[in-house]
Amino acid sequence: MALLCVHAATAQQVAHPSPAPPEPFVLTAPPAQTPTAKVPDAALAGNGDIGLTFGGSPGQFKLYFGKNDFWRAYPVYPGGGIALPGGLDVTIGELDGADYKVTQSPTEAVIRGSFSKPGISVATEAWVAAMHNTVVLRLTSTKSCTAQLRLWAPDGNTGVVKQGTSGNVSWVTRSFENTPLLEWPSHVALAMNAPQGAIRLEPGKPVTVTVTLYTNHDRPDWKEAAVNEAAGMNESGLQAIYAAHAKWWKDFWDRSSISISDPMLEKYYFTSQYLFASSSRPGKFAPGIWGPFITKDSTAWGGDYHLNYNYQAPYWAAFSSNYTDLTDNYDQPLLDYMDRGRVHARTLLNMRGIYYPVGIGPKGLCTTRWPLTPDEMEKRYATRENTIDSGYKFLGQKINAVFGAANMLMRFYSTYDETYARRVYPFLLACADFWEDYLKLENGRYVIENDHYGEVMPNLRNKGQWRHMLGDYNSTLSLGLVKMLFKGMLEVSAVLQTDAARREKWRHIVTHLAPFPTQEIDGRVRLKSVERSPAEWHSRAMGLARVSIHGLILPGEVCGPVTDPAFNAILLSDVRHWKDRMQQPGEWGNTLGNGIETCFPGAVRVGYDADDILQQLKDRIRASSLPNGWITQSGGGTETLAAVPLTVNEMLLQSYEGRVRVFPNWNRKRNASFHQLRAYGAFVVSSVLSGGTVRQVDIVSEKGRNLEMENPWNGNPVKVIRNGKKAETVSGHVFTLKTKAGEKLRLVKG
């Protein structure tokens, strides 16, 4: 193989069915939305740090390389945010006008292409090495032809581009440094162990091009590392890289699985898992709104960490899917911003604790300053006042830091990992400090003033007139997330055996927060978004919606059929009326704009009809998704990757109310199974539903906590097998089992 390198136990035991390999997406036309400021429509691959977008046409392949840690650390977008390192163009003139077929295979994490016309056919394979900073492209032609290679980095946006050679290695670098307001430098290097220019493809003789990227955030010798690896790449090394890649992805797919006898949803379930795993990896920078699939500078919202749900949501399915390690990178940006968050709280609100703007980046970066000049402010926001909140975009919301705490609590409940809890406890405690100060005790209840349900800001639509909309009182978003926080503080502090003296206050807050507001209209009680507000739009009868779901159900997790059946009935009634606002298939829950990852699992948790949820989910996917399997919405990108996995997982297993429930919202006439999904309490659970009956439930107790479980057999006796030996029999609608760390339990009908 020619090689060129561009571096940048019982009788009743039932086997858990092995699901079919994830089906690939096949693209039959060149991508029409690549490059883009949002999600590209091309085939995608990644290793959680480097993203490969396979764009272009048969005559000119355009490989775009994104990287989660390559940022222009400027505090305003457009201009600031994640940036494009560069790409590789491969031009084969003989393929102009050829047929286009590109297959994105999640099983192997490989993109395969087939480009044919009379007299010539070229096959390609492209992948991002799971364990190395290497992108691989393999070309095989049926006819002698020339392929032109051009390694490039984009000019502009204050980036400094250099290129050169070192021995037989050609390299390109791009750097952001030494410009006003830039908070830290970023450098990236790509290197090729052949001159820029032509290579020859001979019939049946594959040529492999590999691409590796290093930044200064990877290592201090970022350029030297790229050049040295380019010079040293050989065929045996590439084979070792592929072996490590194949093993990583095999292990990934073995971690958990589901089978629901619905090929379409299974295809999107596993593709969404693939795209998330391609976007996020421990030890690397966290993915922003578009993950590492960057095809231009100045992406929408700077591709930043948007804290009023966009940053948090992509991770939500990872906990129940047993991919907890893929969430390791989530906390660091929030921890890094704490010093600035304390300054915001003290200087802007005279509060203890932390107060975060709507958007941040890595390494303590704020991405969401108002434009720096009145002229630019007027152009973009219809007002010359660019000093609102000292120039930072809080948009009327105080809840962003607590919103960030939600994922920390979800991970803690999923693992009860004390080492992890100690790492994030200072952040949680700083949130508690802030809200102890901010809450007001009025008439025996804690109330929340001027924390807004939605973003309140000047813009072109309101012609810069916005202050009259300020004044939300007891927003359901705020009430729910604050209750979530203090419930979490009680649990985490108890496990860590710290701050016992503060728990009485925290308990008092949990039990005395203002009730969630409701109203009766036309004889039906429904949820109100806020108790009161000067903003006219709150007076409309909305009922349960995406933002209130965030506070109450996901990620707030303070409501549900176990927690408060009567209030849950109100929420369920609201979901039943979502169809009232639909004008066409795919609009259920008003999720075309935002919220598919929120409204669908939220509907599952309140107990809405399972079959209708699945049908509405499929209609929503058909209404707005790309040929590569990415479900799209107008307001964001990576958060939709949680939508299908989380919806399905919550149908098969729930535990967020402290009680494990298998198939809690599933049509028992439909066979289904799941293997190694994760439940709160640090339990890993598997089960099979067949012929209308739960055949068995297998549970691994990682931390030896008590297991409260809803009886899968409608109150009938349940036999418990512990580590392969028959143990006790339990019964009742709900039962509790004591467990030991590492113990394996099997439950079967008695």
Side-chain angles (χ1 to χ4, degrees):
M1 172 169 58
L3 182 67
L4 294 172
C5 299
V6 187
H7 286 267
T10 69
Q12 297 182 14
Q13 179 173 344
V14 178
H16 292 282
S18 298
E23 287 292 319
F25 276 84
V26 180
L27 290 74
T28 57
Q33 300 174 33
T34 303
T36 178
K38 293 189 173 182
V39 178
D41 58 343
L44 305 172
N47 66 3
D49 176 33
I50 296 169
L52 166 64
T53 301
F54 194 94
S57 61
Q60 186 178 63
F61 310 131
K62 295 187 73 68
L63 280 64
Y64 298 89
F65 306 132
K67 205 162 184 306
N68 279 341
D69 62 357
F70 188 61
W71 285 62
R72 182 171 183 254
Y74 186 72
V76 181
Y77 53 71
I82 196 165
L84 174 64
L88 175 67
D89 293 346
V90 181
T91 303
I92 303 175
E94 287 89 339
L95 286 181
D96 285 344
D99 293 337
Y100 185 96
K101 181 181 179 182
V102 171
T103 300
Q104 176 185 278
S105 173
T107 307
E108 306 159 277
V110 172
I111 300 168
R112 292 188 174 85
S114 177
F115 311 96
S116 301
K117 61 186 291 187
I120 186 172
S121 179
V122 173
T124 64
E125 287 187 353
W127 45 281
V128 183
M131 303 299 290
H132 298 77
N133 280 42
T134 304
V135 181
V136 179
L137 173 67
R138 189 182 191 191
L139 304 165
T140 307
S141 178
T142 60
K143 175 186 175 182
S144 296
C145 61
T146 298
Q148 297 283 343
L149 302 180
R150 184 176 77 91
L151 187 68
W152 56 271
D155 291 316
N157 201 22
T158 73
V160 176
V161 175
K162 297 180 181 180
Q163 57 185 347
T165 61
S166 178
N168 198 39
V169 173
S170 298
W171 51 263
V172 177
T173 66
R174 190 180 191 205
S175 297
F176 295 109
E177 61 178 341
N178 301 326
T179 57
L181 297 180
L182 198 71
E183 297 202 6
W184 32 267
S186 280
H187 309 279
V188 66
L190 304 83
M192 179 166 56
N193 74 341
Q196 300 265 27
I199 60 172
R200 194 71 182 163
L201 302 180
E202 299 296 341
K205 296 182 179 180
V207 172
T208 300
V209 178
T210 69
V211 180
T212 301
L213 297 84
Y214 277 113
T215 70
N216 59 309
H217 308 297
D218 289 317
R219 50 195 299 170
D221 60 342
W222 50 279
K223 180 183 173 185
E224 291 79 4
V227 171
N228 290 339
E229 288 192 19
M233 182 65 71
N234 55 43
E235 185 173 342
S236 63
L238 185 60
Q239 290 173 348
I241 288 172
Y242 182 76
H245 169 86
K247 182 180 186 303
W248 192 95
W249 281 100
K250 180 182 183 303
D251 291 346
F252 174 81
W253 293 119
D254 286 346
R255 297 261 290 279
S256 68
S257 63
I258 58 95
S259 178
I260 57 172
S261 304
D262 189 315
M264 176 184 175
L265 287 179
E266 287 178 352
K267 183 176 182 178
Y268 278 90
Y269 180 100
F270 289 113
T271 296
S272 295
Q273 304 277 40
Y274 161 73
L275 292 172
F276 177 70
S278 297
S279 302
S280 183
R281 204 62 55 87
K284 303 296 184 179
F285 278 33
I289 295 176
W290 316 113
F293 304 111
I294 304 302
T295 54
K296 63 188 299 184
D297 285 351
S298 294
T299 57
W301 299 284
D304 71 356
Y305 305 151
H306 237 57
L307 297 183
N308 56 0
Y309 108 93
N310 306 79
Y311 180 54
Q312 296 86 344
Y315 295 91
W316 289 344
F319 302 109
S320 56
S321 297
N322 204 21
Y323 299 138
T324 307
D325 59 308
L326 298 188
T327 72
D328 278 356
N329 54 26
Y330 169 82
D331 307 298
Q332 197 59 51
L334 294 164
L335 299 178
D336 287 344
Y337 202 81
M338 285 184 68
D339 287 344
R340 295 183 74 164
R342 292 185 194 279
V343 172
H344 297 327
R346 183 176 65 252
T347 60
L348 298 178
L349 298 174
N350 194 29
M351 301 284 171
R352 294 178 300 148
I354 51 177
Y355 175 36
Y356 280 24
V358 67
I360 65 172
K363 299 166 69 81
L365 173 69
C366 175
T367 59
T368 45
R369 295 286 303 274
W370 293 108
L372 301 178
T373 68
D375 288 345
E376 183 65 18
M377 185 75 183
E378 185 173 39
K379 176 182 176 181
R380 294 176 57 196
Y381 296 100
T383 177
R384 299 185 65 79
E385 184 185 4
N386 68 332
T387 58
I388 303 165
D389 293 330
S390 294
Y392 292 88
K393 290 181 183 174
F394 293 92
L395 308 186
Q397 296 183 313
K398 312 297 189 303
I399 205 68
N400 290 317
V402 175
F403 219 141
N407 286 30
M408 298 176 182
L409 293 173
M410 293 171 80
R411 176 169 175 171
F412 172 73
Y413 296 141
S414 297
T415 63
Y416 275 83
D417 181 341
E418 293 186 27
T419 300
Y420 173 75
R422 288 189 179 90
R423 178 170 181 256
V424 299
Y425 189 74
F427 181 90
L428 299 175
L429 190 62
C431 290
D433 289 340
F434 179 90
W435 283 95
E436 282 186 37
D437 287 0
Y438 194 82
L439 290 169
K440 292 184 178 180
L441 186 61
E442 292 183 353
N443 300 319
R445 64 176 192 160
Y446 291 97
V447 301
I448 301 175
E449 299 177 336
N450 293 311
D451 186 25
H452 292 81
Y453 180 91
E455 299 175 347
V456 184
M457 59 184 288
N459 56 49
L460 297 178
R461 291 189 303 275
N462 62 34
K463 299 181 180 180
Q465 303 302 310
W466 58 284
R467 282 194 167 85
H468 65 284
M469 296 185 290
L470 293 171
D472 283 4
Y473 183 84
N474 284 339
S475 156
T476 49
L477 173 68
S478 311
L479 290 172
L481 291 180
V482 169
K483 189 169 187 176
M484 171 206 75
L485 170 68
F486 285 105
K487 284 183 64 178
M489 293 306 300
L490 290 168
E491 182 71 6
V492 178
S493 67
V495 169
L496 296 182
Q497 299 181 23
T498 187
D499 289 317
R502 299 184 66 174
R503 290 180 211 153
E504 182 178 354
K505 172 73 171 180
W506 297 341
R507 192 172 293 108
H508 193 262
I509 292 173
V510 170
T511 56
H512 289 79
L513 268 171
F516 304 123
T518 60
Q519 60 185 338
E520 184 174 334
I521 300 176
D522 297 330
R524 181 172 73 87
V525 178
R526 59 195 74 186
L527 186 72
K528 291 181 67 176
S529 55
V530 297
E531 187 171 328
R532 63 175 184 264
S533 172
E536 182 274 337
W537 67 273
H538 281 298
S539 64
R540 303 178 196 133
M542 295 179 59
L544 183 67
R546 172 179 62 92
V547 176
S548 48
I549 290 173
H550 287 153
L552 305 183
I553 303 168
L554 178 73
E557 302 188 331
V558 294
C559 299
V562 174
T563 303
D564 187 341
F567 185 69
N568 187 77
I570 295 172
L571 305 182
L572 177 57
S573 174
D574 283 343
V575 173
R576 287 175 176 149
H577 284 79
W578 282 355
K579 290 184 178 180
D580 296 348
R581 299 195 297 271
M582 289 180 60
Q583 297 183 5
Q584 61 185 1
E587 289 185 330
W588 192 69
N590 195 32
T591 59
L592 285 173
N594 275 338
I596 182 176
E597 70 300 308
T598 302
C599 293
F600 282 90
V604 173
R605 284 186 168 185
V606 301
Y608 183 70
D609 181 77
D611 287 340
D612 196 37
I613 291 173
L614 296 179
Q615 183 58 55
Q616 298 291 350
L617 181 57
K618 289 191 281 190
D619 287 345
R620 170 62 180 81
I621 292 169
R622 295 186 186 102
S624 182
S625 59
L626 297 176
N628 56 22
W630 198 307
I631 305 166
T632 57
Q633 58 190 19
S634 62
T638 51
E639 63 264 31
T640 67
L641 302 181
V644 177
L646 188 59
T647 299
V648 172
N649 289 357
E650 290 292 322
M651 287 182 154
L652 304 181
L653 176 70
Q654 287 181 27
S655 58
Y656 74 99
E657 295 182 275
R659 180 180 300 172
V660 174
R661 306 164 67 211
V662 297
F663 305 103
N665 191 359
W666 187 259
N667 183 345
R668 293 295 180 100
K669 296 179 181 179
R670 300 178 57 152
N671 291 349
S673 67
F674 61 91
H675 183 56
Q676 295 187 161
L677 296 184
R678 179 171 288 274
Y680 283 7
F683 300 108
V684 179
V685 185
S686 306
S687 189
V688 177
L689 173 68
S690 177
T693 300
V694 176
R695 299 299 178 176
Q696 68 191 44
V697 182
D698 290 324
I699 302 167
V700 177
S701 174
E702 292 183 338
K703 294 298 171 69
R705 297 181 58 81
N706 287 348
L707 169 67
E708 181 181 302
M709 184 156 190
E710 188 172 293
N711 191 328
W713 294 282
N714 298 319
N716 288 303
V718 178
K719 292 181 180 178
V720 182
I721 297 96
R722 296 178 182 268
N723 294 327
K725 297 180 180 180
K726 292 182 180 180
E728 70 268 39
T729 297
V730 296
S731 61
H733 175 66
V734 177
F735 54 82
T736 300
L737 300 175
K738 293 183 177 181
T739 73
K740 297 179 180 179
E743 188 174 28
K744 297 179 179 180
L745 294 84
R746 171 164 290 154
L747 309 182
V748 296
K749 185 177 179 181

